[in-house]
Amino acid sequence: MKLRSLALLSMMVGVACPPSTKTSSPRGLAPAPLALADAKAAALLPADARFFALVKSPQALSDHLGWVAAFKAQGDRYEQAVANVVKATGVNLLDPKSLTEVGLDPEAPFGLALLPASEVSVVVFATLTDAEKLKTFLYRTAGLVNMELVPHTRGPALVLLPKRDADTALVLRDDQLFVVFTDHSRDRQPVLDRLTAVTKESSLASSPRFRQVASDVRGSVGMYVAFDRFLAQELDKMQKRAVDDSAQRGLEQELAAAKQKGVDKATLAELTSRLDDERRFYERRIRRGRGESALLDGLLVAAGPVAIGVELD
C-alpha cells in the first residue's frame, strides 16, 4: 500500500467527519470526547510515527456514514452479500455489531498509523475484547484460503505471520490488535522489531512532540501528522536519487568493454553518444535536486507536527 493511498484515505476520513455544528447534549448525557493523546494505541506505537488517526469506534463511524442502512436498502443484494461474507468467514462482518463475535470491540477506538520504513509502513489498529476468540477466528479464516498463520511470541506481544505473505503481519498486545502492511518484505521485520519493543518511555504517547500538539485535542475523530518528518524523509530520498549515477557508470563500463573487444566505430560512436547524454542528464538532475532540496529545507524550518480533532454529527 503506497503513501498516496493512505493520504487519500486520511483525506476521505476528514471529509466524511467534518466538524459538528450541533449544539451540545444536556449535561450528564454526553460522553466525554475522545482524547487523542490518551489513546491506548498511542502508548504502544513508536514515538516516530509519521501519522496517527483515531476514530471513536467502528459503530460510531458506521452510524455517521450510514453504511449498514445503505447496504440494507439494497434488499436482496444485501442479503446475498451477507450470505457470502458469512459463508467465507462465519460472521456478518458487514455489520459492526458482529465484531464482538470475532473478539473485537465495535464501541471502542480504532484507527491507523504510518511508521517510517524504506517507504512507509501502515499499521491499522483496533480494540480487543477477547484475544482467544480473535485468534480462533484468524486461524480459521486463514485456513479457508490456505494462508497459514505462524505464531511468534516477542516480549509482551504475540505476532502472527502469514506463511505465504512477507509484507503483512498481525500483532496482539495488551488489548490492542495491530495489522501491519509494508511496501517491501524487507521492511516487515524491522517494523515488527520496533513495534513489539515499544516501552512507555519510547511510545508515541510519551513523545514531547506528540503531547505538545495532541494533549488538548479531543473529538470523535483525531489526527496527528508529523509534517516535518514526512518532508525530511522525502528530502533524503530526493538527495539519494539526485546523486545516483548508476546509469552513467553502467554505460562507462559498457563502453570500456566494447573498446576492449574492438567493436566497430559505429557501435563505439553510439555508446559514446549515449554516455554523453547520460552525463548531461546527470548534471541537470544534480542542479534540479539542489533547487528542490533548498525548497524542502525551507519548508522544514517552518513545518512541524500538527493535531486536529473533530466531532461526528
Side-chain angles (χ1 to χ4, degrees):
M1 187 180 295
K2 299 296 182 182
L3 174 59
R4 62 177 68 91
S5 301
L6 266 298
L8 177 60
L9 177 58
S10 63
M11 288 189 290
M12 289 170 62
V13 172
V15 170
C17 309
S20 174
T21 57
K22 284 188 173 182
T23 56
S24 60
S25 302
R27 183 174 298 177
L29 297 181
L34 194 62
L36 185 64
D38 297 331
K40 291 183 179 179
L44 298 174
L45 288 165
D48 59 353
R50 302 291 195 253
F51 177 85
F52 178 70
L54 186 72
V55 183
K56 181 179 179 180
S57 70
Q59 189 63 59
L61 184 61
S62 175
D63 291 344
H64 173 70
L65 298 177
W67 284 342
V68 175
F71 284 148
K72 287 184 176 179
Q74 301 297 315
D76 291 343
R77 293 175 63 184
Y78 169 75
E79 296 299 332
Q80 184 59 53
V82 169
N84 291 339
V85 172
V86 171
K87 182 179 180 180
T89 67
V91 180
N92 177 17
L93 295 178
L94 298 179
D95 187 344
K97 290 184 176 65
S98 298
L99 290 175
T100 56
E101 298 180 38
V102 300
L104 295 175
D105 191 344
E107 300 290 351
F110 78 107
L112 65 85
L114 303 183
L115 304 183
S118 61
E119 290 294 334
V120 170
S121 292
V122 181
V123 179
V124 178
F125 57 87
T127 304
L128 296 170
T129 57
D130 189 326
E132 290 303 318
K133 187 181 289 187
L134 178 64
K135 286 189 288 183
T136 298
F137 169 76
L138 292 173
Y139 286 133
R140 184 182 73 244
T141 306
L144 293 174
V145 293
N146 296 318
M147 181 69 76
E148 180 184 354
L149 293 175
V150 182
H152 300 268
T153 300
R154 296 186 181 173
L158 173 67
V159 179
L160 303 177
L161 299 179
K163 201 166 187 179
R164 295 190 300 164
D165 183 353
D167 299 329
T168 62
L170 298 100
V171 178
L172 284 72
R173 182 174 177 183
D174 296 351
D175 66 345
Q176 298 291 302
L177 165 68
F178 299 96
V179 186
V180 178
F181 302 93
T182 60
D183 274 338
H184 303 289
S185 57
R186 65 176 179 271
D187 290 333
R188 187 177 72 173
Q189 190 60 51
V191 168
L192 289 175
D193 289 343
R194 294 173 59 245
L195 186 59
T196 56
V198 171
T199 63
K200 179 180 178 181
E201 294 73 21
S202 66
S203 70
L204 178 65
S206 295
S207 164
R209 283 168 49 88
F210 176 70
R211 298 205 69 85
Q212 181 179 7
V213 296
S215 58
D216 295 327
V217 172
R218 294 177 178 273
S220 298
V221 177
M223 294 184 192
Y224 163 81
V225 187
F227 283 112
D228 53 340
R229 286 180 169 163
F230 273 122
L231 289 172
Q233 186 175 12
E234 287 304 308
L235 177 60
D236 180 64
K237 289 193 292 186
M238 286 171 53
Q239 290 172 337
K240 289 178 179 177
R241 286 196 299 265
V243 298
D244 181 10
D245 63 347
S246 56
Q248 179 177 309
R249 287 185 285 109
L251 283 171
E252 288 172 347
Q253 293 170 1
E254 188 177 352
L255 179 59
K259 287 180 178 178
Q260 188 174 8
K261 290 180 180 178
V263 301
D264 59 87
K265 292 183 178 180
T267 301
L268 287 177
E270 180 187 354
L271 287 172
T272 301
S273 176
R274 287 171 55 196
L275 178 57
D276 290 342
D277 288 343
E278 181 58 37
R279 284 171 174 165
R280 285 192 291 269
F281 176 72
Y282 177 72
E283 291 170 0
R284 288 198 301 271
R285 192 168 69 240
I286 289 289
R287 290 194 296 270
R288 185 172 65 248
R290 288 172 183 160
E292 292 172 344
S293 295
L295 174 61
L296 283 182
D297 277 335
L299 290 174
L300 274 172
V301 173
V306 298
I308 60 171
V310 298
E311 283 297 333
L312 298 177
D313 290 328

